[in-house]
Amino acid sequence: MNIIEQTMWKMNIKNWAGELGFVSVGFTTAEPIDRLAQLLQVRIDQGLVTPFESKEIQQRIDPKAVWQDCRTVAALAFPLPLTVPPQEGEGVIARSAVGEDYHRVVFRKVNQLIDTMVKNGWLGSTQSQVDTGPLVERAFATRAGIGWIGRNQQLIIPGQGSFVVLALLLLDQEIIPDEPLPPGQCGSCQKCVQACPAQILGKEPFAAKKCVSYLTQSKEVLTPEEQHLFGLRIFGCDTCQEVCPHNQNWLRKEHLSTDLTASLSKAPIPHSRGVNLLETLNLTKGEFIKRYKVTAAGWRGKGVLQRNAFLALGNGQVNRSDQWLKDREKDRSVPPMILPYLQDSSERCE
Ligand code: B12
Ligand code: SF4
Ligand code: SF4
């Protein structure tokens, strides 16, 4: 494609993506991000890599190692849904895990974008990834100029904040790349560093396996300190984003939308981030499939959510799981993922 055609496609793709609800789109080349290899290697050497990532470094930094025809990477950001806060005593689910699984929502949107491109004469091929692909999405999104990386590790989009899902659309045609934004715009702010329950921000490299978001998804047996860090969290952790000044407009919008919904009987009801902990503890297979399998909180299975509900109940002021335990111990029906925590139950923190 010549420069004029590249400019036209770039403009059109940005417009169509905007119409589909993406809040930011940027383009970068298919060149590898070589300097990232060193960081990924350090993470492997120091045992910081989570089991949720590919260990193939080249595939993580080089679009051509994923798809040899790739010439351009488009980075897209889709906003998370506005949610209702938990009620007192409820367990908490992160915004990325309520409502329909974001992987499905965003893949559908990316596919609609590709359909629109094809209808308008796009002759090339495409590949895409939403979270589960090997490429390091935040690094490509940064190079494509849609945002900058905050001290909380999040990609922050100017005027939008960080409550977004990222997607990468790989193209086999060249499109003029966008310029990255100036890096690190946190200034002297330390709000996320102070608020992080695991106290892992502000230190390099990021200790991913100590992050509470990771702990809520891990099937390993957690130490008493790790159990304590959960608080009332059931899946994921939004703390370092909730305190960030760049998310306060978005959070105000979320708050207003909840109030507005309460006053308009016909408005669609936003999903709540709160869950009843005892109900989660007693979850049956059928309820799990209906309530969680359709969300991004379902992929680790029912046992992880039950374990998290058990730990969160223990972390609450009153240990509301005591009666539940007595009942279960009689008929020996305690879910296996909870068994390792039983001897600790009398010592759990408040
Ligand atoms: C594994 C993983 C996790 C792990 C590890 C996270 C981590 N920080 O490494 C765990 C389970 C802890 C996790 C948690 C969360 N995750 Co996650 N996660 C991923 C996944 C699959 C890979 C991340 C990864 O490669 N980590 C390795 C490090 C090296 O990469 P990184 O942190 O993503 O990016 C860093 C580098 O890119 C660096 N960087 C940028 N440019 C450059 C250039 C050079 C030269 C160098 C050297 C570095 C560099 O800056 C980034 C921050 O340090 C990505 C999806 C994907 N395929 O990329 C989602 C992803 C990063 N997660 C996401 C989200 C939403 C979350 C949570 C907020 C979910 C929640 N509410 O609980 C938390 C936030 C935790 C946090 N503070 O980071 C979003 C991020 C959206 C955003 N606005 O940034 C992603 C992109 C998924 C998506 N498609 O939307 N996650
Ligand atoms: S997600 Fe939670 S535990 Fe992880 S870095 Fe952010 S505040 Fe800390
Ligand atoms: S809370 Fe402050 S330090 Fe943390 S990412 Fe946001 S601006 Fe940066």
Side-chain angles (χ1 to χ4, degrees):
M1 282 197 281
N2 62 35
I3 299 289
I4 294 172
E5 287 168 326
Q6 289 188 37
T7 313
M8 259 183 51
W9 275 109
K10 182 165 157 170
M11 241 173 52
N12 284 336
I13 293 173
K14 286 191 176 186
N15 285 339
W16 295 325
E19 284 163 17
L20 285 165
F22 289 97
V23 287
S24 194
V25 186
F27 292 82
T28 183
T29 66
E31 290 304 305
I33 305 181
D34 287 325
R35 282 193 306 125
L36 189 54
Q38 206 186 338
L39 171 61
L40 293 172
Q41 189 58 53
V42 168
R43 292 176 80 245
I44 294 175
D45 296 345
Q46 297 187 11
L48 303 176
V49 183
T50 67
F52 316 148
E53 308 160 49
S54 160
K55 288 200 181 72
E56 294 289 327
I57 291 188
Q58 204 54 30
Q59 291 227 334
R60 306 224 60 202
I61 64 165
D62 183 2
K64 287 188 175 139
V66 176
W67 181 39
Q68 61 176 6
D69 295 339
C70 185
R71 295 288 171 274
T72 296
V73 178
L76 300 120
F78 196 80
L80 286 171
L82 304 177
T83 59
V84 175
Q87 310 269 316
E88 204 178 326
E90 282 189 325
V92 187
I93 296 195
R95 288 171 176 77
S96 51
V98 297
E100 186 184 358
D101 186 340
Y102 73 81
H103 300 90
R104 288 171 54 127
V105 174
V106 178
F107 259 126
R108 196 160 59 228
K109 292 283 175 185
V110 171
N111 286 336
Q112 284 172 345
L113 176 62
I114 297 169
D115 285 348
T116 311
M117 288 162 62
V118 170
K119 270 190 208 131
N120 284 279
W122 177 265
L123 295 174
S125 300
T126 59
Q127 289 205 2
S128 50
Q129 76 165 56
V130 178
D131 185 47
T132 52
L135 292 166
V136 179
E137 290 167 357
R138 295 200 267 222
F140 284 93
T142 307
R143 201 175 69 180
I146 68 171
W148 49 277
I149 302 292
R151 243 170 229 134
N152 59 4
Q153 304 286 306
Q154 298 301 115
L155 181 98
I156 299 176
I157 297 173
Q160 170 72 25
S162 64
F163 284 118
V164 293
V165 171
L166 298 178
L168 298 181
L169 173 61
L170 313 190
L171 306 170
D172 66 350
Q173 305 290 317
E174 271 177 29
I175 291 198
I176 312 159
D178 289 308
E179 285 297 317
L181 300 176
Q185 298 174 31
C186 290
S188 58
C189 176
Q190 293 282 324
K191 283 189 167 29
C192 56
V193 178
Q194 287 154 359
C196 171
Q199 288 294 290
I200 50 174
L201 295 175
K203 301 166 193 163
E204 298 294 336
F206 179 73
K209 284 158 96 178
K210 290 191 177 151
C211 175
V212 176
S213 177
Y214 173 75
L215 298 178
T216 63
Q217 300 175 62
S218 166
K219 291 188 179 170
E220 289 153 36
V221 178
L222 305 171
T223 64
E225 292 74 38
E226 289 171 338
Q227 296 167 37
H228 180 49
L229 294 180
F230 266 54
L232 295 176
R233 296 175 188 83
I234 291 298
F235 200 90
C237 170
D238 281 343
T239 303
C240 56
Q241 298 187 83
E242 283 170 340
V243 296
C244 179
H246 298 277
N247 282 329
Q248 297 314 306
N249 276 343
W250 192 90
L251 288 169
R252 264 192 292 276
K253 199 167 86 185
E254 183 179 58
H255 194 72
L256 278 174
S257 92
T258 313
D259 288 353
L260 194 69
T261 314
S263 62
L264 296 173
S265 57
K266 284 195 180 135
I269 301 162
H271 295 281
S272 172
R273 281 179 283 127
V275 293
N276 181 305
L277 290 171
L278 272 172
E279 270 173 32
T280 312
L281 196 52
N282 284 315
L283 213 57
T284 64
K285 204 171 163 197
E287 283 161 0
F288 169 73
I289 291 171
K290 200 164 151 228
R291 164 83 176 82
Y292 288 105
K293 204 72 177 112
V294 290
T295 74
W299 78 289
R300 300 296 281 164
K302 173 166 99 64
V304 167
L305 293 173
Q306 286 180 296
R307 176 206 59 188
N308 295 352
F310 180 75
L311 297 180
L313 278 165
N315 286 337
Q317 296 269 306
V318 185
N319 195 343
R320 289 178 287 148
S321 59
D322 283 353
Q323 187 54 48
W324 178 87
L325 259 183
K326 277 191 198 123
D327 296 345
R328 297 294 137 144
E329 274 166 355
K330 265 184 262 154
D331 60 9
R332 297 174 163 272
S333 62
V334 177
M337 282 217 57
I338 294 178
L339 286 175
Y341 303 98
L342 292 191
Q343 50 280 48
D344 294 342
S345 61
S346 55
E347 305 155 15
R348 277 194 313 272
C349 345
E350 303 202 335

